[in-house]
Amino acid sequence: MKKLTFLVYHKEYEEFLNSLRELGVVHIVEKQQGAADNTELQENIRLSNRLTATLKLLQNQKHEKNAVIAAEGGTAARGLQVLDEVDALQTEHGKLSQQLQGYAKEKEALQAWGNFDPAGVRKLKDAGYVIGFYSCSEGNYKEEWETEYNAMIINRISSKVFFVTVTKAGQEVDLDVEQAKLPAYSLAHLETLYDTTEQAIEENEKKLVALSETDVPSLKAALKELQGQIEFSKVVLSSEQAAGDKLMLVEGWAPAYSKVEIEAYLNDAHVYYEITDPMPGDNVPIRLNNKGFFAWFEPICKLYMLPKYNELDLTPFFAPFFMVFFGLCLGDSGYGLFLFLGATAYRLMAKKVTPSMKSILSLIQVLAVSTFFCGLLTGTFFGANIYDLDWPIVQRLKHAVLMDNNDMFQLSLILGAIQILFGMVLKAVNQTIQFGFKYAVATIGWIILLVSLAVSALLPNVLPMGGTVHLVILGISGAMIFLYNSPGKNIFMNIGLGLWDSYNMATGLLGDVLSYVRLFALGLSGGILAGVFNSLAVGMSPDNVIAGPIVMVLIFVIGHAINMFMNVLGAMVHPMRLTFVEFFKNSGYEGGGKEYKPFRNLE
């Protein structure tokens, strides 16, 4: 990256920013002061949030099978109109829904009393008679009320009695029961109101669906234009005024390969500028530059955090490990083949595949291939053992690659030790790049120590444990660990820090390596579950020529779909955990970089 500083005359500033956005390679350094207090910017951000929510609402509408959906066209002005129309429809929908709930409660209250006309009740009141509506349990109802208050039972529902009393005006009715407060409508009228409101809600929803079929492109155009205005406002607010408010100062970053292009543009624009290299302490934006296979794993790295500017990008270094770890965790050749064919079919049949989706599909295909070949280590194919087949080619493959559970357990630990040791090598390289070779001496000492112990344990004839050569190697690595772990400090401080590092290494390294046992455990558990579903499919199918195969296929498909979903999820999460914790920790990865986002026109 190159650091850019511009000094522009205030009357030409807006034109300069527009042309800079057309150039589309400069990452503007945003300053927070003024952004929170700028009313116009905050209003635009709120409007952008409304547009985003409305766009999501319309995109989630369900359409008829033969509906024609507009995919292109539309204007920003129409998009803002659609926003107001959708807001009005949503407000109306809320009011109608409340009314419908109210009518539903009133209908429920009138169900027990039947369909009577409240106007008749009012006429009786005008004539001097009062009708009271009451309810109580069967046991609490007293027949003397029929004589005293002219009580009449209207309905009985679930041991509950609904009755009315007819008394003269002014006569006190003393009943220790629940008195009902009924709406001022008849049941028939309420049902009409309820149906009318339901129809109004349906019409409201149809209008929303119609807007979703025709005006989604307009909303997208309005959102794109508004986001451009927001980005422009942020850049303006990030500028500093100089020379009595006559000059505008703005800072940015651009990739080094675009230096010639930027210089040519700025020279034509007659703008004062400086292009310098980053200084220590600068918050340089990060643009990952991986290609092909390694670029497919960049989203996984971004899930954790981007590296700092002067730090190694570990994506190309963890990608092969992640691919193998995923295959071991899923561990079924059938599942791998299914994922590969599914991703390939989608890639071939989809009408439009974006570059980001292509990258994701390529990653799925690579992980599926890894799963297929890792499944051959155990011979698992949709829970069945393919090595039970008495085919010559299968039996030759069995003798060449088959591993039992003990072998898979050891393979997981070996892969863990290799990745951790590789991470320590990268840590030494990173320390050398960032601070100089002397800061990597202690890390190199640990690498020499661990490698010598591994060679002595695995190849005692080559390097005998405790032999003269081995002791010399241990002495050299010990001096590097205890005397050069913190350059510039006195020897006693170095020794103390070396002891502390030794304690951390002894306790942490074993736990880190054992964490890789999950590679074996997940693959084993997935294979066992797949076998269980196969057994259920065979054992639970009825002894019927027609129903038997149908039930067997259903259990097989549903069971393996559940197992595949669970295992794919685990095969993503656990290798990520091993990468982000064990590998990144032992490679000294700090991260914390800010993503490079050039100031450009939105596509």
Side-chain angles (χ1 to χ4, degrees):
M1 286 287 175
K2 293 291 184 180
K3 186 175 184 179
L4 309 175
T5 306
F6 309 105
L7 201 59
V8 189
Y9 185 54
H10 70 101
K11 291 184 178 180
E12 302 172 353
Y13 188 56
E14 187 170 335
E15 180 182 354
F16 167 75
L17 289 182
N18 283 322
S19 58
L20 194 65
R21 181 158 59 179
E22 289 291 335
L23 189 62
V25 295
V26 180
H27 174 107
I28 301 297
V29 177
E30 293 184 4
K31 298 180 173 63
Q32 296 301 319
Q33 61 266 27
D37 299 328
N38 187 275
T39 305
E40 182 182 357
L41 176 60
Q42 296 304 318
E43 284 294 331
N44 283 340
I45 291 174
R46 282 191 285 270
L47 182 58
S48 174
N49 292 335
R50 287 176 58 203
L51 282 168
T52 302
T54 303
L55 180 61
K56 184 177 180 181
L57 174 68
L58 294 188
Q59 288 175 331
N60 289 336
Q61 295 299 310
K62 295 182 179 179
H63 305 102
E64 298 292 334
K65 291 183 178 179
N66 57 350
V68 179
I69 312 298
E72 297 178 355
T75 63
R78 174 57 187 159
L80 295 177
Q81 292 177 0
V82 173
L83 178 64
D84 293 335
E85 291 176 16
V86 171
D87 284 347
L89 288 173
Q90 288 291 94
T91 302
E92 181 188 14
H93 191 279
K95 291 179 180 179
L96 291 172
S97 297
Q98 288 182 348
Q99 289 179 2
L100 193 69
Q101 290 177 1
Y103 292 148
K105 290 181 180 178
E106 291 176 344
K107 277 177 59 180
E108 185 179 359
L110 279 177
Q111 290 289 346
W113 304 101
N115 186 27
F116 68 91
D117 188 1
V121 176
R122 288 194 292 270
K123 287 180 181 179
L124 284 173
K125 186 176 181 180
D126 294 339
Y129 292 93
V130 177
I131 296 182
F133 294 83
Y134 300 92
S135 62
C136 66
S137 63
E138 289 273 9
N140 289 336
Y141 182 77
K142 299 177 181 178
E143 293 186 358
E144 55 263 29
W145 293 345
E146 298 177 0
T147 304
E148 188 174 355
Y149 302 116
N150 298 312
M152 290 175 283
I153 296 176
I154 304 299
N155 205 347
R156 283 186 169 90
I157 300 175
S158 301
S159 73
K160 193 172 185 180
V161 178
F162 296 84
F163 65 95
V164 297
T165 61
V166 183
T167 58
K168 291 185 177 181
Q171 181 181 354
E172 184 178 355
V173 179
D174 185 18
L175 297 177
D176 189 18
V177 294
E178 180 183 355
Q179 185 173 6
K181 294 182 179 180
L182 300 181
Y185 308 108
S186 67
L187 183 60
H189 184 60
L190 271 176
E191 288 177 344
T192 301
L193 290 174
Y194 185 89
D195 293 340
T196 303
T197 306
E198 264 193 334
Q199 291 177 0
I201 290 176
E202 289 179 5
E203 291 298 321
N204 180 285
E205 293 173 347
K206 287 180 181 178
K207 291 178 182 178
L208 201 63
V209 171
L211 287 175
S212 71
E213 293 174 353
T214 59
D215 290 306
V216 165
S218 296
L219 279 175
K220 290 181 177 179
L223 184 60
K224 176 182 174 181
E225 182 177 296
L226 188 62
Q227 288 176 340
Q229 293 176 8
I230 290 172
E231 292 300 318
F232 193 87
S233 298
K234 287 182 178 180
V235 171
V236 172
L237 292 171
S238 297
S239 307
E240 297 179 6
Q241 296 176 339
D245 300 343
K246 298 296 183 182
L247 297 177
M248 307 298 291
L249 179 68
V250 63
E251 295 180 350
W253 298 90
Y257 64 79
S258 62
K259 180 182 177 182
V260 176
E261 179 186 6
I262 294 172
E263 285 179 335
Y265 158 73
L266 293 175
N267 290 331
D268 291 340
H270 303 292
V271 174
Y272 175 79
Y273 67 92
E274 287 185 357
I275 300 181
T276 58
D277 292 325
M279 298 293 291
D282 284 340
N283 187 14
V284 185
I286 304 301
R287 178 179 180 272
L288 299 180
N289 195 30
N290 297 296
K291 304 295 182 183
F293 171 82
F294 300 119
W296 302 335
F297 290 83
E298 284 184 358
I300 296 174
C301 181
K302 291 178 181 177
L303 285 175
Y304 186 71
M305 65 176 71
L306 291 170
K308 294 191 301 184
Y309 180 67
N310 58 349
E311 191 174 25
L312 279 177
D313 173 19
L314 297 185
T315 304
F317 303 109
F318 77 72
F321 287 100
F322 190 94
M323 179 185 70
V324 174
F325 292 168
F326 181 93
L328 290 174
C329 286
L330 193 52
D332 188 295
S333 295
Y335 291 174
L337 183 61
F338 179 84
L339 289 175
F340 182 83
L341 294 177
T344 304
Y346 181 85
R347 192 166 191 164
L348 295 174
M349 298 173 63
K351 294 181 179 179
K352 186 178 180 181
V353 182
T354 62
S356 60
M357 179 56 70
K358 283 184 180 179
S359 178
I360 292 173
L361 291 174
S362 297
L363 177 61
I364 293 174
Q365 289 175 313
V366 166
L367 296 179
V369 169
S370 173
T371 302
F372 179 82
F373 285 104
C374 287
L376 295 179
L377 298 178
T378 56
T380 309
F381 192 91
F382 284 105
N385 193 333
I386 60 174
Y387 293 136
D388 290 340
L389 297 172
D390 193 20
W391 298 350
I393 186 173
V394 172
Q395 292 304 311
R396 285 198 297 270
L397 184 63
K398 175 181 179 180
H399 292 300
V401 300
L402 178 63
M403 290 186 174
D404 59 19
N405 289 340
N406 186 50
D407 294 331
M408 293 298 293
F409 178 82
Q410 293 179 9
L411 177 63
S412 299
L413 295 181
I414 291 170
L415 287 173
I418 291 173
Q419 189 182 39
I420 288 173
L421 192 61
F422 182 56
M424 295 177 68
V425 172
L426 293 177
K427 181 179 180 180
V429 173
N430 210 8
Q431 289 171 327
T432 302
I433 294 172
Q434 290 182 289
F435 312 110
F437 177 76
K438 62 181 180 179
Y439 286 88
V441 170
T443 303
I444 295 172
W446 278 112
I447 295 170
I448 294 173
L449 175 65
L450 295 174
V451 170
S452 67
L453 291 174
V455 172
S456 296
L458 299 174
L459 302 171
N461 294 329
V462 176
L463 185 65
M465 180 80 71
T468 304
V469 176
H470 189 223
L471 291 176
V472 171
I473 293 174
L474 292 180
I476 293 172
S477 60
M480 297 169 73
I481 293 169
F482 288 98
L483 301 180
Y484 291 94
N485 60 72
S486 184
K489 295 183 179 179
N490 64 62
I491 188 172
F492 299 106
M493 180 67 73
N494 277 287
I495 292 174
L497 292 173
L499 291 171
W500 177 248
D501 288 343
S502 300
Y503 170 77
N504 289 330
M505 188 66 69
T507 56
L509 195 60
L510 180 61
D512 290 344
V513 173
L514 290 177
S515 293
Y516 288 80
V517 173
R518 69 187 69 232
L519 300 176
F520 158 71
L522 284 170
L524 178 63
S525 61
I528 292 174
L529 280 175
V532 169
F533 285 120
N534 289 343
S535 299
L536 289 174
V538 175
M540 296 184 67
S541 58
D543 190 13
N544 184 283
V545 177
I546 298 175
I550 294 175
V551 172
M552 181 185 297
V553 170
L554 283 175
I555 295 175
F556 182 86
V557 171
I558 295 173
H560 280 287
I562 295 171
N563 192 39
M564 190 183 302
F565 172 77
M566 293 172 57
N567 281 278
V568 167
L569 186 62
M572 284 298 297
V573 171
H574 289 282
M576 274 194 227
R577 195 266 183 197
L578 294 173
T579 300
F580 297 158
V581 178
E582 275 72 25
F583 180 62
F584 279 9
K585 179 184 70 174
N586 286 284
S587 61
Y589 185 79
E590 295 182 16
K594 184 179 181 181
E595 187 175 4
Y596 165 72
K597 294 181 179 179
F599 181 51
R600 63 172 60 166
N601 291 319
L602 298 177
E603 298 179 358

